[in-house]
Amino acid sequence: MSELKIDKVSPRSGNYVALNTVGSKNIIINGDMSQSQRSTSVSSITGSGYNTVDRFRTNMSTAGTWTQSQSTDVPTGQGFATSFKMDCTTANGSLSAGSFLIIDQRVEGQNLQYLKKGTSSAESTTMSFWVKSAKTGTYIVALQDMDNTRYIAKSYTISSANTWEKKTLTYAGDTSGAFGNDNDGSLKVQFWLVAGSTYTSGTLATSWESTTNANSAVGQVNLADNTSNDWYITGVQLEAGTTASDFEFLPYDVNLARCQRYYQLIAQGASSPINTGFAYSSSQVSAYITLITSMRATPTLDMVSGTDYYRFTANATNTNFNVLSLDIGNTRAVTVFKGSLSGLTGGQAGFINAINASSYIALASEL
């Protein structure tokens, strides 16, 4: 959200100086689905984890098999270039009681303090998004308070198959249970796609209440019941207030930096540089990596290993190896290393690269 701000008086003219400042009204990060650092398509998904589009996590149990992708199928004339797609490749028409498939985003508590949750002045929030599916019917979008085990859910209806539709849902403010003012996950925004009877046998929690499984997704269709089923979403925005405003388009680099707080792709593919390094001894190489932006917490290393996937080059001599390990780090920098090598010259500087088409190295501090 851009606004013109009167910042100060010019010391020369006495006139006001206007500064263009940029803020963000959207609680959701990467709601336009433009950032996809891990991959643009992953198939054979049967479990939980981050797969493609940044900040959107798959949560699943016994709900079929899926291909997830960053798609270029978008609503016409709305300014979006990409969407998030789920495509059912193996159906499950007979759900177990505990079956579920949810796409969620988790939000830090320190980013939510202005909602004043847990006070008499708690703010309502409004969710808006564009959605499309081959399967019509009722779907559920829920807000879960992870700090206080509280929950509220709203339903929307896909009326026309294979047609982009805009949906708007408003959630009352919650006067019970404040969000923690820290970098831990406090709010989980959940898009339900599949729900077994464990989550549908009660009454939908349309007002804030203590989390009860049976009240979580009452009425939710089973998107997993046919391999012709798919689900697309883009333009996801959650904002304070009782009305939806136009989607907040952020510059590409700003959106990427917000995602890199949680995941940073450092190198990917053949001939991809990781960083300069040095031979710590005759059998170990090390490299110091300054992070692109400060991360939410000290990250973990996310990388693929394989024969001769990585290389240390010093004095025109190549030493190949299969994987790196994380040594020490904080939210701004990490050190990686590889031991059990031979023939190195201690103290010699060089370069560490990814050398296989399938190689990648990344750092993660997801919620």
Side-chain angles (χ1 to χ4, degrees), residues 270-341:
S271 303
S272 181
I274 295 173
N275 212 332
T276 55
F278 72 100
Y280 184 79
S281 67
S282 62
S283 62
Q284 179 177 314
V285 296
S286 297
Y288 179 86
I289 300 175
T290 301
L291 302 181
I292 300 164
T293 187
S294 181
M295 301 194 76
R296 181 191 66 85
T298 299
T300 58
L301 190 63
D302 176 23
M303 68 183 306
V304 64
S305 63
T307 302
D308 296 337
Y309 268 32
Y310 307 94
R311 173 178 293 164
F312 175 66
T313 302
N315 196 25
T317 299
N318 296 326
T319 302
N320 293 352
F321 48 92
N322 299 346
V323 70
L324 285 161
S325 298
L326 188 66
D327 187 10
I328 58 174
N330 55 38
T331 58
R332 299 175 301 280
V334 299
T335 301
V336 295
F337 75 97
K338 171 58 182 173
S340 303
L341 300 173

Side-chain angles (χ1 to χ4, degrees), residues 8 36-37 53 78 118 150 163 170 185 225 273 288 294 323 334 362:
K8 61 182 179 180
S36 190
Q37 295 181 80
V53 175
Q78 300 301 319
R150 291 178 61 75
T163 303
T170 296
D225 66 2
Y288 179 86
S294 181
V323 70
V334 299

Side-chain angles (χ1 to χ4, degrees), residues 102 140-142 144 151-154 190 192 195 198-205 209 211-220:
I102 305 166
I140 304 300
V141 185
Q144 182 177 356
Y151 192 90
I152 187 172
K154 299 291 182 177
Q190 300 178 315
W192 285 82
T198 296
Y199 308 100
T200 61
S201 58
T203 301
L204 188 65
E209 62 177 48
T211 302
T212 302
N213 282 339
N215 299 342
S216 297
V218 180
Q220 172 66 43

Side-chain angles (χ1 to χ4, degrees), residues 52 70 89 112 157 159 188 191 209 216 218-219 225 230 241 247 354:
T52 59
Q70 182 189 48
T89 56
L112 300 168
T157 301
S159 303
K188 189 184 295 183
F191 291 88
E209 62 177 48
S216 297
V218 180
D225 66 2
D230 53 23
F247 184 81

Side-chain angles (χ1 to χ4, degrees), residues 64-87:
T65 305
W66 299 78
T67 293
Q68 182 183 112
S69 60
Q70 182 189 48
S71 173
T72 56
D73 188 336
V74 294
T76 302
Q78 300 301 319
F80 301 106
T82 49
S83 63
F84 177 104
K85 179 184 179 182
M86 292 292 288
D87 183 26

Side-chain angles (χ1 to χ4, degrees), residues 64-205:
T65 305
W66 299 78
T67 293
Q68 182 183 112
S69 60
Q70 182 189 48
S71 173
T72 56
D73 188 336
V74 294
T76 302
Q78 300 301 319
F80 301 106
T82 49
S83 63
F84 177 104
K85 179 184 179 182
M86 292 292 288
D87 183 26
C88 183
T89 56
T90 301
N92 183 350
S94 299
L95 298 176
S96 302
S99 294
F100 61 86
L101 172 55
I102 305 166
I103 305 301
D104 76 34
Q105 184 166 137
R106 302 164 186 205
V107 185
E108 295 176 53
Q110 61 192 6
N111 292 338
L112 300 168
Q113 297 303 302
Y114 69 97
L115 296 180
K116 302 184 284 290
K117 189 175 181 298
T119 75
S120 59
S121 302
E123 297 277 357
S124 296
T125 53
T126 296
M127 169 74 76
S128 55
F129 55 93
W130 287 87
V131 67
K132 168 181 163 179
S133 179
K135 187 174 182 66
T136 59
T138 299
Y139 293 74
I140 304 300
V141 185
L143 305 182
Q144 182 177 356
D145 174 356
M146 301 165 68
D147 292 326
N148 303 286
T149 321
R150 291 178 61 75
Y151 192 90
I152 187 172
K154 299 291 182 177
S155 65
Y156 68 94
T157 301
I158 293 180
S159 303
S160 301
N162 304 312
T163 303
W164 282 104
E165 301 173 356
K166 187 174 183 180
K167 305 300 177 183
T168 301
L169 306 170
T170 296
Y171 303 82
D174 187 14
T175 58
S176 298
F179 289 132
N181 187 24
D182 52 36
N183 65 345
D184 290 333
S186 289
L187 178 66
K188 189 184 295 183
V189 181
Q190 300 178 315
F191 291 88
W192 285 82
L193 302 181
V194 174
S197 60
T198 296
Y199 308 100
T200 61
S201 58
T203 301
L204 188 65

